[in-house]
Amino acid sequence: TVRPDAFGPVRNAIANKRKLRVRYQSLADDTTQRVIRPLALTCFGRVWLLSAWCELRNDFRHFRTDRVERLTVLAESFDDEPGKRYEDMRRAA
């Protein structure tokens, strides 16, 4: 589980536009492995969300950090692409 005290690598990945591989357990207890483009970390009360472009779903997704079982910062970086940026995610909300 990714705890707030371990957010340094996530913040660095956001700042340096580095992709992440996450193993994620949904609220329905389905576990998936995904490659994501991290865009933002947001706190809602006690819950932290990692907002990202998900390459598996080809869409924006929000991952509860307490449900991320494993996280790896990849060597692969990404460029801002129209439709996949933080600003695009905010407009779509």
Side-chain angles (χ1 to χ4, degrees):
T1 300
V2 179
R3 300 178 323 271
D5 61 339
F7 285 168
V10 175
R11 287 187 179 116
N12 285 337
I14 292 168
N16 295 315
K17 298 188 184 332
R18 299 277 299 276
K19 292 183 180 182
L20 300 174
R21 177 177 294 117
V22 296
R23 180 178 166 94
Y24 186 76
Q25 185 174 14
S26 73
L27 291 174
D29 286 330
D30 296 325
T31 301
T32 59
Q33 185 163 293
R34 301 162 184 238
V35 173
I36 63 173
R37 298 174 180 206
L39 301 174
L41 275 171
T42 310
C43 182
F44 290 99
R46 293 186 197 187
V47 177
W48 281 89
L49 295 179
L50 172 56
S51 300
W53 177 263
C54 177
E55 295 189 349
L56 176 67
R57 301 291 185 223
N58 201 34
D59 201 359
F60 296 109
R61 290 291 187 266
H62 304 282
F63 301 93
R64 284 181 47 161
T65 60
D66 61 328
R67 303 202 59 88
V68 174
E69 296 178 348
R70 191 175 320 136
L71 181 140
T72 305
V73 178
L74 301 178
E76 186 178 356
S77 60
F78 62 91
D79 294 321
D80 283 332
E81 293 179 46
K84 298 180 181 180
R85 301 169 299 193
Y86 179 75
E87 298 80 27
D88 301 315
M89 180 186 71
R90 300 249 323 148
R91 269 195 295 269

